Amino acid sequence: MSLSADFVSAVNQIIPPARRFDDPLSTLAFGTDASFYRLIPKLVVRVNAEHEVVTLLQLAGEHGVPVTFRAAGTSLSGQAISDSLLIVLGDGWSRRDVLDKGSRIRLQPGVIGAQANAALAPLGRKIGPDPASINACKIGGIVANNASGMCCGTAQNSYQTLHAMRLVLADGKVLDSEDPNSVADFRSSHRELLAQLERLARDTRANSALAERIRHKYRMKNTTGLSLNALIDFDDPLDILLHLMVGSEGTLGFISSVTYNTVPEYPHKATALVVFESVEECCRAVPQLKQQPVDAVELLDRRSMRAVENQDGLPEWVKALSQDACALLIETRAASRLILHEQIERVRSVLVPFSVEKQVEFTENATLSNKLWAIRKGTFPAVGAVRPNGTTVIIEDVTFPIPQLAEGVKRLTKLFDKHDYHEAILFGHALEGNLHFVFTQSFEDPAQVARYEAFMGEVAHLVAVEFGGSLKAEHGTGRNMAPFVELEWGSDAYQLMWKIKRLLDPQGILNPDVVLSKDPDIHLKNLKPLPVANQIIDKCIECGFCEPVCPSHGLSLSPRQRIVIWRDIQAKKRMGVDTYELEKAYQYQGIDTCAATGLCAQRCPVGINTGDLVRELRADQAQAHRRADWLAEHFAGALKGVRLVLAAADSANRLLGAPRLQRWTESSKKLSGGRIPSWSPAMPQPVRWVENIKPPADTVRPRVVYLPSCASHTMGPSRSDSEQVPLLAKTRQLLEKAGYEVVFPDAMDSLCCGQPFASKGYPQQADRKRAEMLAAVKRASREGMDPIYCDTSPCTLRLLQEQIHGLNIYDPVRFIRSHLFDRLEFTPQTESVVVHVTCSTQHLGEGQALIEIARKCSTNVVVPEDIHCCGFAGDKGFTLPELNDHALRFLQPAVQHCTEGVSTSRTCEIGLSSHSGVDYHSLVYLVDRVTRPSSQ
């Protein structure tokens, strides 16, 4: 459907242009969620406040415009996409209030699940739901889907742990159940609605067969259809309404905030892996375990274990397991180690009668436990990584009654084989009878669609009819299972759901065809294409796990959206469709504003680094190869030029003053089309490099080769910085304090790791410069005899990406923790310090070590949880400052009580200082300040 001009005009009056999107690139980018469906919205609106939602719903009702709400877009059943108006949560929905010493927490829908748990962690609490996507999914989606997870079960989901809710109905009415005035007003204004809900509840309880069916369905995990258990669990229609909202997937209203009753997060944990000789034996153990103090029991069939058997750290015997083997991954948690050991013995005792093929005994070692959990968590990515290009990965989740779990597993496996899904694997939350099965599917031709239709039809009949189970245990009904709701629930319950829908959404404008649909084929329509585009990204499943750590997400495109658009461009080109306008828009949105730091790869289930794609595209566009060659050959001269520019800027700062210079450079940047960078008070002063004078031979002190980055030996502190000693001198001072003889490579001003060239799309020149630097440090280190200290983490990472034989290259974090702890005595300061873990430090695996060093130096360390990549990205902080601005928009409130910031990248520190009002320095400044030579 098209949107009327009157509706669009009315929306334009309340939402600023920066938060409205109707261009082809943006609507396509928002047409994807984590499911295998695609709908292209006519208009996308990013809302920042509740009153905007209220007005939009009122306008939608007036003009008959269907509306879909979207939080993180990690839903798997197609419930977060729309071909009409898509309302997306903006920055204004991230408030979290910890209440009653952590026993409750009030959360707005834009809070990521992991952020809620981070706020509760110091109090030993967490929210009940624990979906696998908790690092990406948001509270709005967790509640609206009644998401659960590995440990949550049916006792700790959103429905069971709900304390209060603030919501907006389809007519724009707001209800806050924690506000007595709001409740009284609602009971008056919506008296008839509440009366009808009360009547429906009374009639439902009076229908003993229906009531018992509802109770049966919710003894299991179940998110198929609406939450009918609200009608039999509560008498007060207000409570019924609040609990109907849970799991309604945006079809009954908008959730503005939710208050959870939290659950304990026990500090002591033990994990075991037990492999049984058969599926039957494995499933027979589950009811026994359910009676014991276990928090998670994950089932893995032989196919799923085979999919991950080559994973690092797994026992060799996994490869030799018998064909019918089936495993349980068991975890138990406790408030104390004594209680934990008692629980372990109880679990062991109940497993004695069962035939066990192999097992890993209970371990409390976190590293070993993580390796065991890697088996379970690696199953889904394992299928995704080996699927044929052009196919999608589908993950379904069903529930069987536990007494029939073994038979259910066997019957499902037979269906896999019958319909030629030989790659399918099966795993799940055994305590609830909740099984996930993963398979690959192509939708490119009608025959493949027909195969999927036949398979899902048989699955639906098997689970819902033959076994009386749930077709959707925790992923939500969406449009994926909407045609099967009546099959699972029966006519009476199905019609009851429609009555609730019509009562709360009489115009049918809220997320139509989701949960309830009159179209029996809705699950086969609007199937998402995944065309081959580039081998770097072809395995992407568009799950959105990458988005929270992307600095451009919300400014331009996220990694997922970059992939979506590039796939579409390539598909259109193969069809002969003109892509000029789309590619023109993609240049800024997809290529120019990508920081290309690769944090997305760390969150991606299949390890995709979208930055690699962007660098490849930049290389394809790069045309200044001669200039890059000249720069590589005359690098020392280029650095002198940088120093001259910094000196000129510093002189202008002294002459004109910071405010006037900043205004002047902003104007110059606009007039030059962005070629002249902006200046800020955090801009560095120049550092003059003096060629190293070789020290006399010293056979007593150990040597270290100090490798300063280009930034370190050109960019000093800013004029306003409290520290005026350049990093070069400060690092040398610290190393000599620790008893080292510091040496430098020859011709230092000519050396570069190649990072600036690589990021601009000149990989050959980048690799040549890296090879030069490695050769220089090899000579300086006496063929690798001496450790090599690189003072900037991005440069260290760049060097270590090359296969280096015989060279020990350290970033500041690893060198300090491995070489300086024994040589220095630390006296921590009381002044507060904020830590920024750079992207490269995260890639190097030194993030936690950096934080621990800071804690060794200060009794008050702050790590802002919402800052992942700073977005400075080499020189983009100068040339595209909006990327740095966007990435650090939440920084200042998080550091307002801090006196200093530490990091491991000079350019990152420029942006961090500029956006926080706090001077950021290299970690070595802090370490030098609080240490003295060890007396030992």
Side-chain angles (χ1 to χ4, degrees):
M1 64 167 290
S2 60
L3 304 182
S4 70
D6 288 345
F7 175 77
V8 173
S9 175
V11 172
N12 292 349
Q13 291 178 35
I14 62 168
I15 305 294
R19 294 194 278 117
R20 299 192 312 265
F21 311 93
D22 60 0
D23 61 284
L25 181 144
S26 297
T27 52
L28 175 60
F30 282 106
T32 289
D33 65 1
S35 73
F36 51 93
Y37 298 99
R38 172 179 289 169
L39 287 173
I40 309 300
K42 302 296 186 302
L43 178 63
V44 180
V45 172
R46 184 175 280 128
V47 293
N48 278 343
E50 184 183 76
H51 69 85
E52 294 175 345
V53 177
V54 170
T55 305
L56 286 170
L57 285 175
Q58 290 171 339
L59 287 172
E62 180 182 339
H63 294 272
V65 173
V67 175
T68 296
F69 307 114
R70 180 168 179 161
T74 55
S75 302
L76 292 164
S77 302
Q79 55 266 63
I81 52 176
S82 170
D83 58 0
S84 179
L85 173 63
L86 183 66
I87 297 179
V88 180
L89 295 180
D91 287 344
W93 302 93
S94 58
R95 182 170 177 175
R96 53 215 127 165
D97 299 316
V98 177
L99 309 170
D100 294 341
K101 299 180 180 179
S103 64
R104 290 183 293 120
I105 186 168
R106 184 183 301 115
L107 301 163
Q108 287 189 306
V111 176
I112 294 173
Q115 293 173 336
N117 283 339
L120 291 165
L123 300 168
R125 308 290 292 183
K126 64 178 180 176
I127 61 172
D130 62 337
S133 57
I134 197 164
N135 289 324
C137 66
K138 296 180 177 180
I139 293 299
I142 290 175
V143 179
N145 289 295
N146 198 19
S148 47
M150 297 184 190
C151 303
C152 170
T154 55
Q156 296 182 348
N157 60 25
S158 293
Y159 182 95
Q160 296 294 347
T161 59
L162 179 69
H163 176 80
M165 184 184 291
R166 185 179 175 96
L167 58 90
V168 184
L169 291 182
D171 61 4
K173 182 64 178 179
V174 177
L175 166 64
D176 185 343
S177 68
E178 289 185 292
D179 180 353
N181 292 330
S182 176
V183 170
D185 177 65
F186 190 85
R187 289 190 187 277
S188 174
S189 64
H190 285 63
R191 184 185 303 106
E192 181 56 31
L193 183 149
L194 294 175
Q196 291 192 52
L197 278 179
E198 190 172 21
R199 190 176 307 117
L200 287 175
R202 191 165 52 247
D203 292 346
T204 301
R205 291 192 295 270
N207 185 335
S208 57
L210 178 58
E212 181 50 39
R213 181 160 186 77
I214 292 171
R215 293 187 184 96
H216 164 74
K217 297 295 290 182
Y218 288 103
R219 292 188 191 104
M220 303 178 288
K221 271 191 180 181
N222 177 35
T223 60
T224 308
L226 298 176
S227 299
L228 294 183
N229 45 339
L231 298 173
I232 60 173
D233 289 343
F234 301 97
D235 298 320
D236 188 329
L238 204 67
D239 288 329
I240 294 172
L241 174 60
L242 299 182
H243 287 81
L244 281 171
M245 293 292 293
V246 177
S248 62
E249 302 176 32
T251 63
L252 302 181
F254 175 82
I255 298 169
S256 292
S257 75
V258 63
T259 303
Y260 278 122
N261 294 314
T262 63
V263 301
E265 172 66 311
Y266 292 123
H268 300 283
K269 304 174 184 180
T271 312
L273 179 69
V274 183
V275 183
F276 298 85
E277 292 180 350
S278 66
V279 171
E280 291 87 350
E281 191 77 348
C282 180
C283 294
R284 199 166 62 83
V286 172
Q288 301 301 315
L289 289 170
K290 195 172 176 65
Q291 307 302 315
Q292 302 306 315
V294 289
D295 292 86
V297 177
E298 294 293 296
L299 181 147
L300 300 101
D301 75 344
R302 183 66 184 95
R303 297 183 189 212
S304 63
M305 288 186 286
R306 189 175 293 117
V308 296
E309 63 187 17
N310 293 314
Q311 195 167 293
D312 289 342
L314 296 190
E316 275 297 312
W317 51 255
V318 172
K319 299 177 182 178
L321 291 173
S322 62
Q323 184 64 31
D324 295 327
C326 190
L328 293 179
L329 180 65
I330 305 168
E331 184 160 289
T332 181
R333 304 175 180 179
S336 71
R337 183 164 279 110
L338 176 63
I339 296 174
L340 180 69
H341 292 166
E342 291 174 354
Q343 292 178 180
I344 290 172
E345 289 307 313
R346 288 177 59 183
V347 174
R348 282 175 176 158
S349 66
V350 301
L351 293 177
V352 169
F354 297 95
S355 300
V356 173
E357 184 171 330
K358 287 283 185 179
Q359 66 179 313
V360 177
E361 283 286 353
F362 275 103
T363 178
E364 297 172 58
N365 182 286
T367 301
L368 294 176
S369 177
N370 289 338
K371 287 182 178 180
L372 292 177
W373 276 106
I375 301 174
R376 163 64 178 85
K377 294 176 180 179
T379 49
F380 178 51
V383 175
V386 299
R387 77 185 194 276
N389 289 340
T391 64
T392 190
V393 179
I394 296 178
I395 179 169
E396 291 293 352
D397 75 309
V398 299
T399 304
F400 290 104
I402 289 179
Q404 298 167 284
L405 183 59
E407 184 62 22
V409 171
K410 294 179 70 175
R411 294 283 299 278
L412 266 180
T413 303
K414 288 181 179 178
L415 286 182
F416 298 157
D417 294 334
K418 177 180 178 180
H419 293 276
D420 296 325
Y421 291 107
H422 301 294
E423 78 292 347
I425 64 172
L426 197 150
F427 55 89
H429 317 311
L431 289 179
E432 310 299 332
N434 175 196
L435 299 177
H436 300 301
F437 55 96
V438 180
F439 58 99
T440 62
Q441 176 68 51
S442 170
F443 293 119
E444 291 184 348
D445 62 74
Q448 290 294 330
V449 176
R451 177 173 74 128
Y452 171 74
E453 179 183 12
F455 173 62
M456 289 308 299
E458 288 202 49
V459 168
H461 190 271
L462 173 73
V463 175
V465 179
E466 292 189 47
F467 284 84
S470 307
L471 288 170
K472 282 293 182 183
E474 55 186 6
H475 293 170
T477 308
R479 57 192 69 244
N480 178 220
M481 282 297 168
F484 303 102
V485 174
E486 185 173 13
L487 176 72
E488 176 174 330
W489 275 96
S491 179
D492 286 353
Y494 185 64
Q495 293 307 318
L496 179 57
M497 291 180 193
W498 272 110
K499 289 178 182 178
I500 294 168
K501 170 69 172 173
R502 295 184 184 111
L503 176 61
L504 294 172
D505 179 23
Q507 292 180 273
I509 62 171
L510 298 182
N511 221 4
D513 283 327
V514 167
V515 181
L516 301 174
S517 177
K518 297 294 187 182
D519 185 347
D521 297 321
I522 194 65
H523 65 306
L524 304 174
K525 297 178 178 178
N526 303 301
L527 299 170
K528 179 169 63 181
L530 289 177
V532 173
N534 184 295
Q535 62 179 1
I536 296 172
I537 60 170
D538 284 337
K539 299 304 181 185
C540 175
I541 54 179
E542 300 181 5
C543 64
F545 286 12
C546 54
E547 293 185 338
V549 297
C550 175
S552 65
H553 178 43
L555 170 70
S556 53
L557 298 178
S558 69
R560 165 167 63 175
Q561 292 172 327
R562 285 184 170 90
I563 292 171
V564 168
I565 303 300
W566 191 246
R567 280 173 163 167
D568 191 67
I569 288 171
Q570 298 309 301
K572 282 183 165 68
K573 282 185 172 181
R574 285 194 291 269
M575 293 186 292
V577 177
D578 183 13
T579 61
Y580 174 78
E581 290 298 329
L582 191 57
E583 289 191 77
K584 182 180 177 182
Y586 191 70
Q587 183 63 46
Y588 175 84
Q589 300 276 351
I591 299 175
D592 294 346
T593 53
C594 178
T597 56
L599 285 190
C600 47
Q602 294 193 350
R603 294 293 185 94
C604 176
V606 292
I608 293 170
N609 184 341
T610 312
D612 288 342
L613 170 69
V614 170
R615 277 187 290 271
E616 187 174 291
L617 299 181
R618 288 173 183 166
D620 291 342
Q621 295 177 350
Q623 297 180 348
H625 289 279
R626 288 187 178 180
R627 192 183 307 166
D629 285 334
W630 185 92
L631 183 62
E633 292 166 6
H634 301 84
F635 200 72
L639 292 188
K640 289 177 182 176
V642 172
R643 294 187 187 103
L644 285 173
V645 171
L646 292 176
D650 187 50
S651 298
N653 179 22
R654 282 186 283 120
L655 291 171
L656 300 175
R660 188 179 300 174
L661 179 58
Q662 196 160 9
R663 288 195 300 270
W664 183 81
T665 56
E666 284 292 338
S667 300
S668 300
K669 182 175 183 290
K670 291 177 182 176
L671 291 172
S672 68
R675 288 187 294 274
I676 297 177
S678 302
W679 180 92
S680 79
M683 194 72 78
Q685 301 171 88
V687 172
R688 180 167 170 263
W689 170 253
V690 179
E691 281 297 334
N692 180 46
I693 299 174
K694 295 187 183 301
D698 188 333
T699 58
V700 177
R701 290 190 298 163
R703 286 169 36 122
V704 60
V705 176
Y706 178 16
L707 183 59
S709 70
C710 308
S712 303
H713 64 271
T714 54
M715 300 179 181
S718 70
R719 180 160 291 277
S720 60
D721 199 326
S722 58
E723 289 276 5
Q724 287 297 303
V725 178
L727 175 60
L728 193 66
K730 182 63 70 174
T731 301
R732 185 170 189 167
Q733 177 181 313
L734 176 65
L735 294 173
E736 289 178 344
K737 180 200 294 187
Y740 281 97
E741 175 188 318
V742 181
V743 298
F744 295 88
D746 293 332
M748 190 62 230
D749 242 10
S750 298
L751 299 180
C752 174
C753 70
Q755 183 66 30
F757 296 92
S759 64
K760 298 295 182 186
Y762 296 95
Q764 292 83 11
Q765 292 85 349
D767 291 347
R768 189 162 76 243
K769 294 304 291 182
R770 177 169 59 188
E772 289 175 9
M773 179 172 272
L774 289 172
V777 297
K778 187 174 184 180
R779 289 190 298 270
S781 66
R782 299 180 295 180
E783 303 298 311
M785 286 178 60
D786 306 316
I788 300 156
Y789 175 95
C790 182
D791 63 11
T792 302
S793 55
C795 301
T796 313
L797 178 65
R798 167 81 185 158
L799 292 174
L800 292 175
Q801 285 169 343
E802 179 73 6
Q803 290 293 327
I804 304 170
H805 299 290
L807 296 183
N808 294 312
I809 300 176
Y810 295 81
D811 76 315
V813 178
R814 190 163 78 95
F815 191 86
I816 289 169
R817 69 173 175 81
S818 59
H819 286 74
L820 299 191
F821 277 6
D822 293 336
R823 293 175 168 269
L824 299 172
E825 291 182 5
F826 287 73
T827 304
Q829 65 181 39
T830 57
E831 292 84 1
S832 57
V833 173
V834 57
V835 176
H836 176 69
V837 182
T838 66
C839 305
S840 47
T841 302
Q842 295 179 59
H843 285 303
L844 290 166
E846 297 291 340
Q848 189 58 40
L850 170 58
I851 296 169
E852 292 305 319
I853 292 172
R855 288 175 176 157
K856 196 175 178 70
C857 298
S858 172
T859 57
N860 189 357
V861 173
V862 174
V863 184
E865 62 177 341
D866 297 333
I867 308 299
H868 302 280
C869 170
C870 72
F872 208 91
D875 66 348
K876 286 193 182 297
F878 300 127
T879 59
L880 280 173
E882 63 268 31
L883 179 60
N884 191 222
D885 295 343
H886 182 76
L888 298 181
R889 65 197 186 279
F890 300 126
L891 178 60
Q892 193 164 25
V895 304
Q896 56 187 325
H897 302 298
C898 297
T899 58
E900 178 185 17
V902 297
S903 183
T904 54
S905 170
R906 182 68 190 96
T907 51
C908 295
E909 289 151 18
I910 296 170
L912 291 161
S913 299
S914 179
H915 289 84
S916 66
V918 174
D919 290 332
Y920 275 75
H921 311 111
S922 170
L923 174 66
V924 300
Y925 286 86
L926 178 63
V927 173
D928 182 63
R929 188 184 312 124
V930 303
T931 58
R932 62 182 181 183
S934 176
S935 58
Q936 296 180 352

